[in-house]
Amino acid sequence: MSALKLFHAQGGVAEVTSRPAEAETDVQDLVEADLEAMLGVRFPASDRCHCRQPGEGPPGGGR
């Protein structure tokens, strides 16, 4: 399988240089921040992050 190439097309076309992400969260943050531009999808802010730390249990105290 060949690598997927990305291009920036503003005032000309240039290939985007890839770089490794330091952490998966870097990629997740980038995608979530640009969902509308990349995929034409927009979510309400309340649906975008259900952030809980490990050990916090289910949302709503399990009710």
Side-chain angles (χ1 to χ4, degrees), residues 4-24:
L4 177 67
K5 292 186 177 188
L6 299 175
F7 294 88
H8 187 270
Q10 186 173 4
V13 177
E15 186 175 349
V16 175
T17 305
S18 64
R19 64 175 175 84
E22 292 185 22
E24 182 179 343

Side-chain angles (χ1 to χ4, degrees), residues 1 4 16 20 23 25 28-29 31 33-36 39-42 46 51-53 60 63:
M1 177 188 266
L4 177 67
V16 175
T25 56
Q28 181 176 347
D29 291 345
V31 171
D34 296 307
L35 274 174
E36 189 169 7
L39 303 174
V41 175
R42 189 170 51 166
S46 62
C51 306
R52 293 190 318 275
Q53 295 298 319
R63 292 176 277 203

